[in-house]
Amino acid sequence: MMNRLAARSAIRHAALLRSSTQRAGAVVARSRLSSPIASSSINQFDALNFSVRCFSDNTNTDKKEEEEVTTDEGESPAADEAEIADEKTEEESREQKLEEEVKDLKDQLLRSLAEQDNTRRIAKRDVESARSFAIKSFAKSLLDTSDNLERALQAVPEDLRKDTESHPVLVTLYEGIEMTEAGLNKALTMNGLVRYGEIGEKFDPNQHEALFEYPDATKEAGTVGQIIKTGFMLNQRVLRPAEVGVIKKE
C-alpha cells in the first residue's frame, strides 16, 4: 500500500514538472536569439527537461513492476493451494498403496501359518496312525491261528477236559492248547488288539457281520444269538468284524 501511494505521488510530481517545463520551453523559444544569457539558460533548461523525462520513465517502470508483483502475489496463493492439494493427493495415494500391501502381506502370512498348522496336524496324525497300525498286517495274519486254537478247545467235550484218569493225554493236550491261546491273546492285547463279540449284545452293523437270522422266543430280537467267528479291534478300530447270527422277531 505504501509503495502504491509513493508511486502515485511521484507520477503527479512528474506531471507538474512536465507542465512547467513545457511553459518554460515556450518562453525560452521566444528569447533564444535575443542574448547569450538566454542561450545558457536554454542549455540548463534542456538538462532539466532530460532529468524530468528520466524520472518519469523510472516512475513508470516502478509502477509496472509494482503491478507485476501485485499480480504475482494474487496468483501465488492459488498456485500454492493447488500444489498442496496435489501433494496431499499423492500422499493419500501412497498411504492407500501401503495399506493394500500390508493387507496382502498379512493375508499371505495368515494363509501360510494356516497351511503350516494343517501340515503339522496331518503329519502328526499320520505318525500316530502309522505307530498305532504298524502291526495291522501282522496281527491280521495271526487271527486265523487264534481261531484255530479256539476251535481246538471247543472240540474237546467238557466232561473230558478234567478227566485225568481215563484221558490224561487229552487233558494235558487241552491244557497246553489253552495256555497257548492265553499267551497269544495276551500278546495281542499288549499290542492294542482286542477280541470282542458276546452272545446277547446288541447287533451293531459297524462291528458285526450278520450271516443269518433266526427266531428265538427266549432272546430279544436284534441281538446276537450265535458267534461264528469272533471279531477283533486294533486300537479301537475294527480289524475284523465278528461273524454272528442275529435274533429276529417271530
Side-chain angles (χ1 to χ4, degrees):
M1 179 64 76
M2 296 298 294
N3 291 333
R4 292 180 182 177
L5 292 175
R8 290 176 182 175
S9 177
I11 292 170
R12 292 194 190 96
H13 185 61
L16 292 173
L17 287 175
R18 189 173 297 138
S19 178
S20 299
T21 303
Q22 289 176 357
R23 289 196 297 269
V27 174
V28 171
R30 288 194 298 270
S31 61
R32 183 182 294 267
L33 299 176
S34 61
S35 66
I37 298 172
S39 178
S40 176
S41 299
I42 290 170
N43 293 332
Q44 293 178 2
F45 173 76
D46 291 337
L48 180 61
N49 190 18
F50 177 76
S51 299
V52 170
R53 281 199 298 268
C54 290
F55 180 78
S56 179
D57 293 339
N58 292 332
T59 302
N60 292 332
T61 302
D62 294 338
K63 183 178 180 181
K64 290 180 179 179
E65 292 178 354
E66 182 183 359
E67 291 178 354
E68 291 178 356
V69 170
T70 303
T71 304
D72 294 339
E73 291 177 353
E75 294 177 355
S76 179
D80 293 341
E81 291 179 359
E83 186 177 358
I84 292 172
D86 293 339
E87 292 179 355
K88 186 176 181 181
T89 303
E90 292 178 359
E91 186 176 355
E92 291 177 354
S93 179
R94 286 195 298 269
E95 290 179 357
Q96 186 176 3
K97 288 182 180 179
L98 290 175
E99 289 178 357
E100 292 178 356
E101 290 179 0
V102 170
K103 185 177 180 181
D104 293 339
L105 291 174
K106 184 178 180 180
D107 183 66
Q108 293 177 9
L109 177 61
L110 293 176
R111 289 178 182 274
S112 178
L113 293 175
E115 185 176 357
Q116 291 179 6
D117 186 62
N118 291 335
T119 303
R120 192 182 303 108
R121 186 169 59 253
I122 292 172
K124 183 179 179 180
R125 184 184 61 191
D126 292 342
V127 170
E128 292 178 353
S129 178
R131 184 184 302 159
S132 300
F133 303 101
I135 63 169
K136 180 179 179 180
S137 299
F138 176 72
K140 200 168 185 178
S141 64
L142 293 178
L143 298 183
D144 292 336
T145 302
S146 178
D147 293 337
N148 292 332
L149 292 174
E150 185 178 5
R151 292 190 188 100
L153 292 175
Q154 291 177 354
V156 178
E158 292 185 4
D159 56 342
L160 300 178
R161 294 175 183 177
K162 302 294 182 179
D163 190 1
T164 56
E165 296 180 358
S166 302
H167 304 88
V169 177
L170 182 61
V171 172
T172 303
L173 178 62
Y174 180 83
E175 290 178 352
I177 295 174
E178 189 176 28
M179 292 175 63
T180 302
E181 186 192 27
L184 179 61
N185 290 335
K186 183 178 180 180
L188 295 176
T189 302
M190 289 176 61
N191 289 277
L193 197 64
V194 179
R195 183 194 299 267
Y196 73 92
E198 298 291 339
I199 294 176
E201 65 184 7
K202 192 73 175 176
F203 175 77
D204 186 355
N206 295 319
Q207 297 181 359
H208 302 106
E209 182 179 355
L211 299 181
F212 58 89
E213 290 183 327
Y214 67 99
D216 190 342
T218 61
K219 296 179 181 180
E220 183 181 358
T223 59
V224 176
Q226 295 183 17
I227 303 294
I228 308 301
K229 187 182 290 187
T230 57
F232 285 89
M233 297 183 70
L234 179 60
N235 294 320
Q236 300 181 353
R237 181 185 295 180
V238 176
L239 181 63
R240 187 187 73 180
E243 298 178 357
V244 299
V246 182
I247 304 298
K248 69 176 181 179
K249 293 181 180 181
E250 296 182 356

